[in-house]
């Protein structure tokens, strides 16, 4: 298995632009998680899905953030409009069950200027 | 009290040293515990799960103290390649429910 695949690896965009981050989980994993990591706040859960259904989106900062999982092999995290404070590394992770631990993707390093 | 707390370090130790990290968690109902390792500018990777009876994997030993709500990681005979940030992770709900809560990590630097 290729692991969790995220794209793009790096994204630099101007404030106000729309940003779309993509994730392909490991085949057979029922759980998919989006995390954001910054030096100040560490790893923060944004949203997670179970069997393509959003279960907990309480970590989504505000309405500018949205996430979808149209099928078991693909998820997107969208920021519209983007702001400089959104600059962070965004990780996608997948798991059979949370108590089995997660496998993370390589992350997307987002810079909003 | 934060859900998962760790000493951020850095811990600077010489090669061959033994080093231990502790982590405390706030939810006494937490069921699953892990240590992850994160190298600079890389994704976190599962190092080991932590079981109630304690568990060992080569030079690494993890222990859980439910009464005091802390988890420990012991690294023996430190190698240069052990330099990384170690994240303490807790599943506050356990089983197939909920998500993992990550501590901010403890940075370890092993020097020659």
């Amino acid at each position: 298995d290729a692991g969790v695949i995220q794209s793009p690896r790096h994204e630099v965009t101007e404030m106000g632009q729309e940003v779309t981050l993509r994730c392909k989980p490991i085949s057979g994993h029922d759980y998919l998680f989006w995390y954001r990591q910054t030096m100040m706040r560490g790893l923060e859960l944004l949203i997670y899905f179970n069997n393509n259904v959003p279960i907990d989106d309480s970590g989504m900062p505000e309405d500018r953030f949205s996430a979808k999982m149209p099928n078991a092999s693909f998820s997107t995290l969208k920021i519209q409009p983007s702001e400089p404070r959104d600059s962070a590394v965004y990780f996608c992770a997948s798991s059979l069950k949370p108590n089995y631990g997660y496998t993370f993707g390589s992350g997307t390093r987002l810079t909003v200027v | 009290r934060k859900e998962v707390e760790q000493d951020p370090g850095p811990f600077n130790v010489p090669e061959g040293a033994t080093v231990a990290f502790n982590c405390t968690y706030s939810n006494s109902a937490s069921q699953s515990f892990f240590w992850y390792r994160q190298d600079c500018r890389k994704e976190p990777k599962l190092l080991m799960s932590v079981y109630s009876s304690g568990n060992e994997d080569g030079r690494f030993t993890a222990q859980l103290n439910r009464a005091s709500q802390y988890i420990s990681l012991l690294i023996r005979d430190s190698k240069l390649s052990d330099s990384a940030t170690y994240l303490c992770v807790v599943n506050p709900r356990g089983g197939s429910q909920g998500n993992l809560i990550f501590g901010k990590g403890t940075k370890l630097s092993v020097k020659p």
Side-chain angles (χ1 to χ4, degrees):
Chain A
D1 201 317
V4 177
I5 299 172
Q6 289 188 248
S7 64
R9 291 293 303 273
H10 302 273
E11 177 82 29
V12 181
T13 191
E14 291 186 347
M15 184 173 64
Q17 295 299 306
E18 177 179 297
V19 176
T20 299
L21 311 181
R22 298 173 177 79
C23 176
K24 181 182 185 326
I26 291 173
S27 177
H29 280 193
D30 293 333
Y31 289 81
L32 183 140
F33 304 83
W34 283 101
Y35 279 83
R36 177 172 69 177
Q37 187 173 39
T38 60
M39 288 290 290
M40 287 291 292
R41 301 173 70 90
L43 270 166
E44 301 175 282
L45 177 71
L46 299 177
I47 185 171
Y48 81 92
F49 296 83
N50 179 209
N51 292 320
N52 313 338
V53 177
I55 303 300
D56 183 354
D57 66 354
S58 59
M60 297 285 262
E62 46 200 273
D63 291 346
R64 298 184 298 106
F65 285 70
S66 63
K68 293 182 179 179
M69 192 165 186
N71 57 61
S73 59
F74 184 65
S75 177
T76 58
L77 177 68
K78 188 173 293 187
I79 309 172
Q80 165 65 14
S82 57
E83 296 182 3
R85 60 194 168 116
D86 301 331
S87 297
V89 181
Y90 290 79
F91 287 106
C92 175
S94 71
S95 177
L96 276 170
K97 291 182 179 181
N99 60 335
Y100 290 2
Y102 299 171
T103 300
F104 282 82
S106 300
T108 295
R109 187 170 297 273
L110 174 65
T111 304
V112 183
V113 298
Chain B
R1 182 181 176 184
K2 294 179 183 175
E3 290 193 80
V4 179
E5 289 198 78
Q6 297 181 250
D7 180 344
F11 284 59
N12 297 309
V13 303
E15 262 188 301
T18 295
V19 61
F21 309 133
N22 286 334
C23 159
T24 58
Y25 59 95
S26 60
N27 187 340
S28 60
S30 298
Q31 297 294 319
S32 305
F33 309 90
F34 308 88
W35 283 100
Y36 274 69
R37 169 194 170 126
Q38 186 172 24
D39 292 290
C40 187
R41 300 181 76 85
K42 297 286 190 180
E43 72 273 21
K45 292 185 178 178
L46 179 63
L47 179 65
M48 58 197 304
S49 302
V50 186
Y51 304 118
S52 297
S53 55
N55 48 300
E56 189 173 308
D57 183 1
R59 297 182 294 107
F60 298 82
T61 300
Q63 292 194 312
L64 167 65
N65 184 318
R66 286 190 182 274
S68 301
Q69 293 179 216
Y70 80 78
I71 308 150
S72 64
L73 177 68
L74 181 78
I75 305 175
R76 290 181 299 277
D77 188 23
S78 306
K79 311 293 184 190
L80 295 177
S81 57
D82 293 334
S83 297
T85 297
Y86 291 84
L87 305 171
C88 173
V89 186
V90 174
N91 183 338
R93 295 189 184 86
S96 61
Q97 302 300 314
N99 56 277
L100 299 182
I101 307 297
F102 286 76
K104 288 189 177 181
T106 298
K107 187 172 183 179
L108 171 66
S109 181
V110 181
K111 306 292 187 184

